[in-house]
Amino acid sequence: MSDQAASDSKEVVFDRLGHLVRSLHDTLREMGADAVLSEAAVEFPSARERLLHIGQLTERAANTVLTRVEECLPVQDRLIARAQALRDAPPSAEETTGFLAEVEQSCVITRAKLSDMMMAQDFQDLTGQLIKKVVTVLERTEQDLLRLLIDAAPPGTISEVKKEELMAGPGAPGSVALEQGDVDDLLADLGF
């Protein structure tokens, strides 16, 4: 395919997409659903911002955990080396007391780092709530678009789906599904 043909093909796709969006917008406005458009226009940027925020929280937590683990490893390595040295030669009372003091200090440091790691995970509750909100926005939009397609479908293009078929794998939510050929015909009837 030549560069010109590829460019023309992209223009056709974008032109068709533009017509589809304009048609959807006009149809919703004619049906009195301007509020749906306004709400969706507000919710989608909000959903995108929420997902970006989740990504930032997740990255921050991962960095905190990795940093704290890296800080704990040398503390633990020193304890291991000191314990091995004491095991290999009978320690004096002074060496044993020094080692116990080092163990205590190392435990305090390690405990603080573990606490930091635990606190870094507090984003989990917040991200779970944000993800649920984004999914709700997407589900509502999907349902609205599906309902619009079903309502605008020519008679005979919608088939009932048995519950067993729904349990067999992915499909349209609910008990109604459009076949791909019917969707193509519907879009063609609408001028797309």
Side-chain angles (χ1 to χ4, degrees), residues 54-109:
I54 289 168
Q56 292 167 350
L57 291 173
T58 303
E59 181 180 6
R60 189 179 315 136
N63 288 336
T64 298
V65 169
L66 292 173
T67 300
R68 296 307 177 261
V69 167
E70 288 172 352
E71 293 169 353
C72 284
L73 290 175
V75 172
Q76 297 304 307
D77 289 342
R78 278 192 305 274
L79 285 179
I80 291 168
R82 184 85 188 270
Q84 288 172 342
L86 291 175
R87 186 188 61 216
D88 292 342
S92 67
E94 188 176 294
E95 289 174 320
T96 302
T97 303
F99 178 68
L100 292 175
E102 187 176 344
V103 167
E104 180 181 9
Q105 182 61 29
S106 295
C107 286
V108 168
I109 291 169

Side-chain angles (χ1 to χ4, degrees), residues 144-166:
D144 290 345
L145 289 172
L146 181 60
R147 178 57 40 209
L148 181 64
L149 281 174
I150 290 170
D151 291 347
T157 59
I158 298 176
S159 63
E160 293 293 320
V161 177
K162 297 176 186 167
K163 275 195 170 184
E164 304 86 56
E165 292 175 17
L166 285 175

